[in-house]
Amino acid sequence: MSLQAKQVRVLVLNDMEQLGRTLFRLDQGFELQFRLGPTLQGKHVLVHTNYPAPGKHFDRHTFQALDWHNPMGREDDSDKFCTLDLQIAGSYQYYFGHGHEEKSGGGYIVVDPVLRAGADNHHVHLDCITIQTYLSKCLGHLDDWPARLRVAKESGYNMIHFTPLQTLGISRSCYSLADQLSLNPEFSPPGKNYTWTEVGELVQKLKKEWNMICITDVVYNHTAANSPWIKEHPECGYNLVNSPHLRSAWVLDRAIWHMTCNMADAKYAAMGLPAQVQNEGILGRAKPDQKKTGGKQGLKIIQDPKFRRFGNKVDMDSALETFVPHSRSPQAILEACNWLWGRLEEINKEQYQQMLHHQEQAANCIVGNVVYERLADHGPKLGPVTRKDPIVTRYFTFPFEEKSLEDDLPMMDQPDKARHFLAHNGWVMGDDPLRNFAEPGSNVYIRRELICWGDSVKLRYGNKPEDCPYLWAHMQKYTEITAKHFAGVRLDNCHSTPLHVAEYMLDVARVLRPSLYVVAELFTGSEDLDNVFVTKLGITSLIREAMSAGDSHEEGRLVYRYGGEPVGAFVQPSLRPLVPSIAHAMFLDVTHDNECPIQLRSAYDSLPSSAIVSMACCCSGSTRGYDEMVPHQISVVKEERFYPKWNPEAKASSPGEVNLKTGIIAGKLALNKMHQELASKGFNQVYVDQVDEDIVAVTRHCPSTHQSVVAVCRTAFHNPKHHQYRTEVPPMFIPGKIEEVILEARIIDRQAGTYKKCEKYINGMPEYTVEIKEHIQLKDSGVVKHAGVTSKGSSEFVQEIIFERLTPGSVIAFRVSLDPKAQELVGVIRHHLIQFSPKYKPGSLPDQHTPTILETPLAQIMSKLTLGDMNMLLFRCDSEEQEDGGGCYNIPSWTSFKYGGLQGLLSVMADIRPKNDLGHPVCDNLREGDWMIDYVSNRLVCHSGALGEVGKWLKAMFHYLKHIPRYLIPCYFDAILVGAYTTALDTTFNKMSSFVQNGSTFVKLLALGSVQMGGVGSFPALPPLSLELPDIPYRLNKDTGKKEQCCVSLAAGLPHFSSGIFRSWGRDTFIALRGLMLVTGRHLEARNIILAFAGTLRHGLIPNLLGEGICARFNCRDAVWWWLQCIQDYCTLVPEGIAILRCPVVRMYPHDDSEPQSLLTQPLCDVIHEAMTRHMQGIDFRERNAGPKIDMHMKDEGFNIVAKVHRDTGFVYGGNRFNCGTWMDKMGESDKARNKGMPATPRDGSAVEIVGLSKSAVRWLVELHKKGLFPHSSMKIHRDGKEVKVSYEEWNHKILANFEKNFYVSHDEKDPNEKHPDLVHKRGIYKDSHGASSPWCDYQLRPNFCIAMVVAPELFTVERAWKALGMAEKKLLGPLGMKTLDPDDMVYCGVYDNALDNDNYNVARGFNYHQGPEWLWPIGYFLRAKLYFAKKLGKETYEQTVYLVKSILSQHYVHLERSSWKGLPELTNENGQYCPFSCESQAWSISTVLEVLHDI
């Protein structure tokens, strides 16, 4: 099997989510899956991408729609995905839409290139790159390049960056190119004419023989001002013909130029403005008035397209609309004209004020420029103003004879001349990089805000190739030449290059070189803006610089920032969410166009800062000259000397040659080798320790072998000769065993003369070199004084390092392994984890003394577990655990886990793991001791059977875990638990129905609710079953040692209704049983629960609170009907399920007054018949022990229980206004509000869902009797003193005939069936009840009629049902649940607060429990009803409804996925808000949602 599982990343799409500024990086070979977020589930979503289809070429503007896959069926969209197999590097766009919205969201993905080198074409990982920059013009003739480039090879670099190799412009700047297509002729010696072919051959030689990759710059934003082609094609730049908005800026530029000439000629000297500017005072200027004039709307001015003076026009249509004479008299017309004239003057004043602001800014910028260039200490101090060094750089070319300003101005209107006045390029401090500062709307040129490059012309591409054909074609050829010969490009001036141009050119380059490496340095000042460039252009690496750090602490922070995971990071799954990235860094000690570090810091800092950079888990590098300790910036413009060549025998005093003794080259070689080794061998975990203000220790760690490399670097930002550094260096404590000192090096002085700038070669400082030792034992170190081994607990050994010669400018790097015993134990753990994933094979070691329990795969052990065992293994909340004398694990400084089982831990780890949050209290607890580890195994070991075996397996694994270094324990503890947990889930689902096994993730998550709620506590919750039944589970009572039944029971909700007598409730159990037991395939447990409750039948009722049958309360009218519905569902859904009717039932109460017993056994069918008969006869009794002993809040009348069948309608009715016999059972508790003992929702009379459930039961029994499967056709009762028979057929017919007459609220205001038309406030709905003691309660809109629709749809007219459901959707549907009362009702209150006790009758002590809060379980019946009746209305309506259902249920999926309880709550407050008084996970909430998916 492969050691590397295919890496899959999942991008969840959310409606209206635009992620164009979010960076998603992926490697080639990854699979990207798009999945639907909750806002899109249930909608027809189309995902488009310009990633090319197989066999097609990439075209940025060609998008393909991706096909959706739904591997688990169609019941929901949780697993629906479309996929991309990413095999081609580049930037790719995706967008998605639904309905009429083609693009309702989108973004970009960047696929990194694969770089290769060497004769074997081996893969060079991006983090392996060590790059060195060369100014190409300093390499001399091409024949000399190998000797000069060998310096990079011998210094350990594997990538060379060349500045442009093209013919340079007149300024000699490396980035001002005269001809983008021709090779610089300076590279050809006399008598030769080298071309790109020879350059390509050299690049290939470097790649194959030296293992070196070559990249070069591309410059798209400008060309040299003396480029021959720009003179022939001036339309390629911004000139006064194609960009007339620059005319005024050109006039100002010419005026400043003539001022320069006059200053140079001393014409202003007498006025106090000499050519030599000596102080800022002589630059005094008059500042214009700052007053502003407010604008007015109405009149429109049409801008002259040629921007001529007095060229603008008045839009006469707006003038005629705005300045309307009040009459046609000459006087009125004159007044209107004067009004217009006055407005024009105002506009002119506004323009004048704006011009003054531009003028002041221009003056400020000019003065600032002069101060920097001529006065500032850090500036170039240019000296007197001359034509060569003007007062400021010119903004425009002027290729004509110099005359006066007066002679210049007419040229603006001469197109043949004006087209050659081309705007120079530059950059604008703080400007929006996405805006082209030369386009109309920008005032950069007139305000003189451009820091101008006077040697280069800014190129004007337009929006597409047709706008400037020559320029696009020229640059395309340039790009093709570059891509043909070089593995990558650096985008010069990227932030100012028009994005669409760079996109186009890079697309061209990737046609020739698909794995193009793209580098850029951005100066946007914003990571958000950086991402725009990175995502759209597919930039591989962004250049970052250590010189940006002001101190060693910041330098260390940059190492941590730019790559790697924390040491001890968690093992991530191969399929996981796609998370935003930061751009991959090319982290350089210094870039080639920035100031020299020696000038800003000290020469001694060169080595330690380089070492810090080299330890970063990203690409690293430098510029030629840094390693040779050149003490000045090598100017890209002015430098004309050559780089020295490589000569191993060269003397230090030889300026034209270098070797390992030059500067820090020997140190850099060792660092580069180490950097490449760390990346290639997977040392991708990073820890940065700021030892003191100058010392930074960087650790790189390999998560498979657990080897580390620790580099201790003592920086020298200040020269040690002039700065007082600490004499004492703090000791370091390095965990593990130091195998060797990889290197120790420091910069030392030597007697080789002092630096003198060579005229021919770029030479460094000969007075410094590096003293270095490599691959030595610790005892041979000259830096470490003492190394002692100490024990940090029984499982971790630490070496204490005391330094004696870690001087400023020093570096020492240790190779560290785990203690041999710990290394062995980690290997053994990894060996046993291979059964869960092959990714643990690297670093694994066979177990020489494998405990017997570990010889058996965990999956085999778990296969023997029952689903009841799984409840113990995975779940059980605190109150369940306390029944066994324990509790959920608690971290004192934090909180308790939600469950004692694995889910409690895994819910927390699911948040910790993706973030690698090793500082979390859970991780702290694991590092500090073995308490949590022991808790997990000890909790299970004490059990017999397979559950105890699982505990022993965990205990054996944890034995190894306890003896590895503590910093690794969170990682491996999580790995063990994840393996055990996933195995448990697989086993669980394999024991469930095919619907679950083949179901979606959502289905499986809901099905887990069956395990979560279905368990066996310390005390049996269910009464005993008949011994005649097969397959009854037994156990030995731990106290008595006797055999006892241990049937699974269902908890009503967690955590409040999970243990003791409050665990099992008749109503809750049978509302939940169909979804949690029957749909999931747990038929035996369902049978046992049905029969156990059947045994408790009394008065013809099933208990509400079961209380093990002995403490049962028979105070609800609906539980028996839910029980009957479950029996019907059992017979329907379970193969041969009808056999349950013949199963024996042990009657705990053979008569109403019986004490609990187990003498009488009856078949279930007879128990059913008794329940039906008792209702038909009429149930009327008083609860036993009535009074505060069983209910401290209820009034005396409330203990009187009535449940009968109406003789005329067949409706079951009962209850009174002092009790609440349905699920809406809140009893008032507040003395203060005077609601104590009053039910909030008595729902006496005939509750709509009970009528529906009874109709379902009666219809079913009629059908069974006809098939000969139910022995009873009628019920014998006493009526009016006589025994009479009432047939089930008759009862069934009566309900059917009377339902809509009595429950439907017609749109007909004169409906003769309507008894209380004055109480009607909504029409087209179904009443909540019929015959309530408070008639207005009948007319309240509640969600209960949906239940009747599902269980007895025959009661409803399709069209009426559909409209009623529409009203429920409009008024009652919430994000997760259904409002329990119409928000238009006067007593509606959607926020449940059971702790609030005030004088408000309607809300005190949670009186509004069912008067508005949004309960989840009814939503299942609402959606099932929608689906049923939608199907009756035709295919189109049904499909629309399916999408609605999926969209609604997506909220439940998200909640379930995110919930630490892995459940759905009992209820929410209004609009889905969290309710702290709700059960966090409720059985019937999970069940009814699962039933919806089953229906779909």
Side-chain angles (χ1 to χ4, degrees), residues 868-876 884 901 939-940 943 947:
D869 293 331
M870 286 298 181
N871 169 263
M872 165 67 73
L873 176 62
L874 294 173
F875 295 104
R876 302 227 311 173
D884 274 349
R939 181 178 167 272
L940 301 173
H943 291 271
L947 202 56

Side-chain angles (χ1 to χ4, degrees), residues 1010 1013-1015 1048-1052 1063-1065 1069 1072-1073 1076-1077 1089 1483:
S1010 170
M1013 299 294 173
V1048 166
S1049 64
L1050 283 176
R1063 176 178 174 83
S1064 283
W1065 299 73
T1069 293
L1073 188 129
L1076 295 190
M1077 292 296 184
I1089 291 169

Side-chain angles (χ1 to χ4, degrees), residues 603-623:
Y604 293 91
D605 189 61
S606 303
L607 181 66
S609 280
S610 265
I612 291 171
V613 169
S614 293
M615 288 296 289
C617 189
C618 60
C619 166
S620 74
S622 188
T623 187

Side-chain angles (χ1 to χ4, degrees), residues 871-872 875-878 880-881 884 888 899-901 939 1016-1017:
N871 169 263
M872 165 67 73
F875 295 104
R876 302 227 311 173
C877 67
D878 193 57
E880 293 175 276
E881 290 288 292
D884 274 349
C888 290
Y899 295 112
R939 181 178 167 272
V1016 183

